[in-house]
Amino acid sequence: MLTLINAGLGRTGTTSLKAALDRLGHGPSFHMFDIVGDGERLRQWEKVVCDGERPDWAALFAGYRAAVDGPCALYYRQLSQAFPDAKVILTVRDADSWYRSTHDTLYQFALRSMAAPPEPGSAQARLLRITRAMVWDGLFGGRFADKDHAIDVYHRHNEEVVRALGADNVLVYDVQQGWEPLCAFLGVDVPREAFPRTNDTASMRQRIVKAAGAAATG
C-alpha cells in the first residue's frame, strides 16, 4: 500500500527522491522505469492511460510503498483518493533547467520514436502511445517544443497540486535541499551519508537507451 506519493513531473529529481526514500525505509518506490522494463505493467498502464480503464489502484501498486515519477505525477488526485493517508511530495526545480533537461532527454527520445515509429503492437510502440497520450499530447497539448508554453504548463501543474491537496498537506521539495526537509516531513532521522544525486542529463540519456532496448525485447 502506498504511504507516499510524488506529484512532481519527470526531471525534477524524481530518481534521486526514489533513492532517498529507499534509503530511509520508505521503499520500494515505484518509478516509470518499472513500467518500461515490464511488459505486463506496460499493458496495464496502457489500458489506464490510453483506454480509460478504471484500475484497482491497490493492485496496480502492490508491493510498493512509494510512487515517484511517471504516471503518479499526473494521477496524483486519483492516488490521493485511493490512498488518503499517503503523504504527498511535490518535487520542483528551476523551470528553465527543468525544460532544458526534459527537452534534451525524454523529448528527444519521443521525437526519434515518432520519426521512426516502432513496430505496431511492440513494447516500444505501447510505451510511445502511453507517453504521447499522457505527456506530450496530453499534459503539453502537443506543444512541448514551445518553451514558454511548456514552462507555463509546468508552473500550472505545480500550482494545481498545492491548490488541490492543500499547502499544509504537500511538501514542496527541491532535492538540492538535501535530507533535512525530507526527513522532517517523514519524521525520520537524517542519515550521515550524502544525499543521493542521480540521473543527471548524461545519465538519463544512457538510461533511455537501455530502457528502449528493454522495451524492444519486452
Side-chain angles (χ1 to χ4, degrees):
M1 178 177 292
L2 294 185
T3 60
L4 191 144
I5 300 162
N6 170 226
L9 297 180
R11 309 309 298 152
T12 60
T14 57
T15 306
S16 294
L17 177 63
K18 168 182 164 59
L21 292 174
D22 290 346
R23 166 61 182 83
L24 295 172
H26 281 263
S29 303
F30 182 91
H31 190 282
M32 183 67 186
F33 283 114
D34 289 309
I35 298 175
V36 174
D38 188 318
E40 179 57 30
R41 289 191 184 279
L42 195 60
R43 284 187 286 273
Q44 290 172 338
W45 280 101
E46 186 177 21
K47 292 178 181 178
V48 174
V49 174
C50 304
D51 302 329
E53 181 177 287
R54 296 184 62 180
D56 179 340
W57 293 111
L60 203 57
F61 287 98
Y64 293 94
R65 293 190 63 201
V68 305
D69 194 74
C72 61
L74 301 181
Y75 287 88
Y76 70 90
R77 293 175 187 262
Q78 295 92 324
L79 293 179
S80 294
Q81 292 173 356
F83 305 99
D85 295 327
K87 294 178 178 291
V88 179
I89 295 176
L90 174 65
T91 45
V92 298
R93 69 186 288 186
D94 172 76
D96 283 313
S97 65
W98 163 81
Y99 180 81
R100 183 169 59 252
S101 177
T102 306
H103 180 277
D104 292 348
T105 56
L106 301 174
Y107 187 56
Q108 295 307 309
F109 175 68
L111 288 179
R112 288 195 296 272
S113 297
M114 286 183 254
E119 181 181 350
S122 66
Q124 284 178 300
R126 295 202 304 271
L127 177 61
L128 178 61
R129 185 181 181 218
I130 290 171
T131 55
R132 287 192 69 171
M134 185 170 62
V135 181
W136 311 119
D137 295 339
L139 181 64
F140 295 105
R143 296 174 56 196
F144 184 81
D146 180 341
K147 179 180 178 180
D148 290 339
H149 171 74
I151 287 179
D152 181 63
V153 170
Y154 169 76
H155 285 309
R156 190 163 61 246
H157 169 82
N158 292 342
E159 292 164 1
E160 287 176 354
V161 170
V162 175
R163 184 166 54 249
L165 302 182
D168 294 338
N169 301 317
V170 179
L171 172 66
V172 180
Y173 177 60
D174 186 328
V175 295
Q176 296 299 322
Q177 295 173 286
W179 289 116
E180 283 75 11
L182 177 62
C183 291
F185 183 66
L186 297 176
V188 298
D189 293 333
V190 175
R192 292 186 177 182
E193 68 262 32
F195 188 88
R197 308 291 182 185
T198 64
N199 225 16
D200 58 18
T201 296
S203 298
M204 184 60 179
R205 285 173 176 155
Q206 294 176 353
R207 294 194 70 172
I208 287 174
V209 171
K210 182 177 180 181
T217 58

